[in-house]
Amino acid sequence: MNFLEIVKNKKIDSNWLELDRINVESIDDIYKGTGKILQASQEWEHEFQELCRLLNIELKDDYSFLTLGKMNRKLLEAKIITEDEYNKLDAVIEVRNEFVHKYFLDSFFFGDWSYPFDKVSETLTKVLFLIHESNDWISNKIDNGHRPNILD
């Protein structure tokens, strides 16, 4: 599955796109936008780690070195998420990984990153949207009953 298929299959709230839009008018704006995406990616990874910690899912002694893919697989194996949820998260993890590791080096997945800027703006905004939505979903898992009861 490629990036465009993932975005096409994900309903994107136009109000959100306007609120958190990454506007690109120069190369410097691209770097600012990618910084927002990297921050959102790290926050998402942190939420994944938090959910695993709260569920006492043993992955390694040091949670800071776990990959999103491995944490996603462990949540599936522990029956915290369904196969469908796993697949959707896995698709966004693929987008995130391609973005983080290849955005400036290989434009095949996302298209050219330097021009035209309106297309770059749309691409960066949609990547940020997917990551924010996935982070919200994990946060809701934490808030909706996957947090241990501290009174027990």
Side-chain angles (χ1 to χ4, degrees):
M1 179 176 295
N2 69 34
F3 171 70
L4 294 176
E5 289 172 356
I6 294 167
V7 172
K8 188 171 90 175
N9 294 332
K10 180 84 173 152
K11 183 178 178 193
I12 298 180
D13 179 359
S14 59
N15 290 327
W16 186 95
L17 287 179
E18 291 310 313
L19 181 66
D20 247 0
R21 174 167 296 286
I22 296 173
N23 290 311
V24 176
E25 297 176 5
S26 69
I27 298 293
D28 286 343
D29 292 337
I30 293 172
Y31 286 100
K32 290 176 189 175
T34 57
K36 283 184 175 183
I37 293 168
L38 292 175
Q39 179 181 354
S41 294
Q42 290 174 5
E43 290 167 353
W44 182 34
E45 192 166 7
H46 176 76
E47 288 295 301
F48 249 106
Q49 292 168 351
E50 184 66 16
L51 181 58
C52 289
R53 279 188 196 105
L54 292 171
L55 296 170
N56 295 315
I57 294 176
E58 285 191 39
L59 298 164
K60 288 186 180 181
D61 290 337
D62 185 351
Y63 285 91
S64 65
F65 294 106
L66 301 173
T67 66
L68 288 167
K70 286 180 182 177
M71 287 186 280
N72 195 32
R73 170 63 61 191
K74 291 291 186 178
L75 292 174
L76 176 65
E77 291 169 359
K79 299 186 190 294
I80 303 302
I81 61 175
T82 67
E83 185 85 29
D84 184 54
E85 291 168 330
Y86 168 83
N87 289 332
K88 288 176 181 176
L89 287 169
D90 194 53
V92 180
I93 290 168
E94 179 185 352
V95 168
R96 179 254 183 217
N97 288 344
E98 287 289 323
F99 184 84
V100 168
H101 297 290
K102 297 179 182 176
Y103 182 67
F104 289 105
L105 302 177
D106 178 9
S107 62
F108 179 76
F109 196 71
F110 295 101
D112 190 13
W113 63 269
S114 60
Y115 192 81
F117 292 138
D118 59 332
K119 289 184 180 181
V120 176
S121 178
E122 287 303 308
T123 298
L124 294 178
T125 299
K126 289 175 180 178
V127 171
L128 184 61
F129 174 81
L130 288 173
I131 292 170
H132 274 292
E133 285 294 298
S134 299
N135 191 14
D136 287 347
W137 190 87
I138 291 290
S139 294
N140 287 337
K141 275 285 194 199
I142 291 171
D143 293 339
N144 293 325
H146 288 92
R147 185 177 300 277
N149 186 345
I150 58 174
L151 300 176
D152 289 342

